[in-house]
Amino acid sequence: MAAANPWLSACTDRPAAWLRLICFANAGATGRSTFRAWADVVPDWIELCAIELPGRYTRRDEAAHTRIEPLMAALVDGVRP
């Protein structure tokens, strides 16, 4: 499960999953809750995770990125492990 990673909000707890589906909420969406209903329909071999961006939801105390390049670099480093 990805709970220890601030970038990933684990919507499903599936330690045996061999595929992690990383989801991005669209602009104006309610964040990770957008994908909560998906947990009931994806197969057990998929761990469904939503991206948590700095400055939003559980990371609202962090500074939000204002440029896409640094955001993407940080995101890649954050989800790589």
Side-chain angles (χ1 to χ4, degrees), residues 32-64:
R32 65 183 176 195
S33 63
T34 302
F35 308 106
R36 201 159 309 278
W38 293 17
D40 296 332
V41 294
V42 296
D44 290 339
W45 50 269
I46 296 177
E47 180 182 51
L48 180 66
C49 297
I51 292 293
E52 287 282 331
L53 297 174
R56 308 277 317 249
Y57 307 102
T58 61
R59 300 180 70 186
R60 66 184 164 271
D61 293 334
E62 298 177 42

Side-chain angles (χ1 to χ4, degrees), residues 59-79:
R59 300 180 70 186
R60 66 184 164 271
D61 293 334
E62 298 177 42
H65 285 266
T66 58
R67 294 188 18 194
I68 193 72
E69 294 88 358
L71 171 61
M72 294 311 296
L75 176 63
V76 167
D77 286 342
V79 299

Side-chain angles (χ1 to χ4, degrees), residues 2 5 7 9 20 22 24 34 56 68 72 79:
N5 186 332
W7 287 97
S9 174
R20 178 176 285 163
I22 298 175
F24 292 81
T34 302
R56 308 277 317 249
I68 193 72
M72 294 311 296
V79 299

